[in-house]
């Protein structure tokens, strides 16, 4: 999971399991704040764009993703 | 580490070091005919060292987040750079020591307005350990992000890999040429849909269905709305002479 680690006015984004946060914070003296999960889909308000091309490309990408998940070469 | 040379190596000779995050545990590896104990760490945490041990470390920061820019009804997606690599030799390990694994940068998450046309991704996190610091790759926006391997614009073939184009350092642990065999490819660009590719990181760890660069520290590249262009987190490799 992604956390922001802040220390002495400097921020870093780090990858860490929640179970390790307390010890890591004790070792470094940093303050850790969880960030949004990087696996949560983000829905954005988008500017005007070519939605026809976008939808077509989206479907192609979805198919490729499913194929990869099924292990199809 | 009380090594006794390469003859008669036993599991019980492994370094007296444990880690509380995600890691490989200790395995044998050879560099320039010299045997080492080695481990790979992929999440932040704390090392616990019994005694005092001399070690080398190599790491890669998190990949940058993919960004894009909007012009005349079309979004143009650019790849972010992979994390930068760094190495530190002859580190003294003792007691409890923190390991920081840089997370991947994220795509633009702020609000969107009509007057705004550049939506930059963020820089990846730094991977640090003792005196080692491997910075994260730079996010993209109206141009591709730079990093260990650079990201690419939509009209290129793919993001950089193995440090070219990029910072010029090969993507192998300890920059060892003999181990330069498992390289993250750059994300493949798609000029038809104005999609670039992220820079390739360390190893061929793949993220299916994305234009991100492969591997730990791979750069992100956003592709269409709803698809994240988050960079991949970095990693750290520690080796200790047997």
């Amino acid at each position: 999971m992604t956390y922001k680690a802040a220390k002495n006015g400097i921020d870093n984004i780090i990858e860490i399991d929640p179970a390790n946060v307390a010890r890591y914070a004790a070792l470094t003296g940093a303050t850790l704040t969880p960030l949004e999960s990087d696996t949560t889909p983000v829905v954005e308000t988008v500017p005007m764009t070519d939605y026809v091309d976008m939808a077509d490309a989206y479907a192609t990408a979805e198919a490729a993703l499913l194929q990869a998940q099924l292990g199809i070469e | 580490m009380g090594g006794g040379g390469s003859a008669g190596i036993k599991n019980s000779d492994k370094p007296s070091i444990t880690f509380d995050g995600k890691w490989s545990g200790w395995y044998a590896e050879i560099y320039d005919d010299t045997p080492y104990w080695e481990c790979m760490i992929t999440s932040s945490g704390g090392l616990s060292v019994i005694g005092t041990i001399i070690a080398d470390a190599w790491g890669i920061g998190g990949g940058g987040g993919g960004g894009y820019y909007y012009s005349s009804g079309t979004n143009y997606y650019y790849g972010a750079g992979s994390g930068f690599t760094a190495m530190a030799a002859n580190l003294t390990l003792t007691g409890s020591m923190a390991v920081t694994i840089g997370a991947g940068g994220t795509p633009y998450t702020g609000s969107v307005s009509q007057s705004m046309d550049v939506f930059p991704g963020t820089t990846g996190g730094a991977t640090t350990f003792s005196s080692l610091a491997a910075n994260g790759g730079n996010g993209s926006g109206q141009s591709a992000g730079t990093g260990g391997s650079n990201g690419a614009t939509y009209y290129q073939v793919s993001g950089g890999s193995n440090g070219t184009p990029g910072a010029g350092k090969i993507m192998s642990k300890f920059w060892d040429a003999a181990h330069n065999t498992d390289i993250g490819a750059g994300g493949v660009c798609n000029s038809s849909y104005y999609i670039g590719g992220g820079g390739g990181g360390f190893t061929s760890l793949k993220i299916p269905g994305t234009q991100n660069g492969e591997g730990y520290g791979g750069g992100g590249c956003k592709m269409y709305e709803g698809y994240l262009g988050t960079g991949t987190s970095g990693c750290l490799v520690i080796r200790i002479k047997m």
Side-chain angles (χ1 to χ4, degrees):
Chain A
M1 189 170 171
T2 305
Y3 279 71
K4 180 178 77 173
K7 184 180 179 184
N8 298 332
I10 298 174
D11 292 344
N12 190 21
I13 53 170
I14 72 170
E15 182 66 26
I16 187 168
D17 285 343
N20 299 121
V21 165
R23 185 179 182 217
Y24 178 86
L27 285 172
T28 61
T31 300
L32 271 64
T33 308
L35 300 175
E36 279 188 289
S37 168
D38 55 7
T39 58
T40 303
V42 173
V43 178
E44 299 176 357
T45 302
V46 299
M48 286 298 293
T49 188
D50 187 339
Y51 284 102
V52 175
D53 280 352
M54 192 174 80
D56 180 43
Y58 190 94
T60 301
E62 282 280 60
L65 177 59
L66 179 60
Q67 185 167 307
Q69 288 173 338
L70 294 174
I72 300 170
E73 293 293 326
Chain B
M1 175 65 194
S6 59
I9 296 167
K10 301 172 185 172
N11 273 334
S12 57
D13 293 334
K14 289 180 178 179
S16 300
I17 300 176
T18 57
F19 183 64
D20 62 9
K22 292 179 184 172
W23 74 315
S24 62
W26 295 104
Y27 53 86
E29 184 60 281
I30 294 175
Y31 293 87
D32 293 330
D33 297 325
T34 300
Y36 288 81
W37 291 112
E38 184 174 276
C39 70
M40 181 188 291
I41 293 173
T42 56
S43 77
S44 305
L47 278 181
S48 296
V49 184
I50 296 177
T52 299
I53 296 174
I54 303 300
D56 304 328
W58 176 94
I60 181 169
Y68 65 105
Y69 106 97
Y70 165 76
S71 178
S72 302
T74 301
N75 290 334
Y76 297 85
Y77 300 90
Y78 290 81
S82 80
F84 291 89
T85 58
M87 188 171 112
N90 298 317
L91 301 174
T92 299
L93 311 188
T94 187
S96 296
M97 303 179 74
V99 173
T100 300
I101 300 298
T106 55
Y108 180 80
T109 55
S111 59
V112 175
S113 70
Q114 289 290 334
S115 60
M116 190 172 181
D117 61 4
V118 181
F119 306 90
T122 63
T123 301
T127 292
T128 63
F129 174 62
S130 186
S131 62
L132 178 145
N135 290 329
N138 292 307
S140 57
Q142 200 165 359
S143 61
T146 55
S149 299
N150 293 342
T153 56
Y154 63 89
Y155 48 79
Q156 293 179 308
V157 176
S158 68
S161 67
N162 207 24
T164 303
K169 294 285 190 182
I170 59 174
M171 287 286 173
S172 62
K173 49 194 182 183
F174 303 100
W175 298 322
D176 185 83
H179 288 83
N180 194 214
T181 55
D182 190 14
I183 303 156
V188 178
C189 304
N190 186 334
S191 59
S192 297
Y193 298 112
Y194 310 111
I195 302 169
F202 169 59
T203 79
S204 53
L205 173 76
K206 293 182 189 301
I207 303 174
T210 78
Q211 309 299 116
N212 290 2
E214 293 179 358
Y216 293 104
C221 184
K222 200 169 174 63
M223 52 182 290
Y224 324 119
E225 297 314 315
Y227 271 87
L228 295 175
T230 304
T232 305
S233 54
C235 72
L236 180 78
V237 181
I238 298 173
R239 69 180 185 185
I240 296 166
K241 278 184 184 174
M242 291 182 179

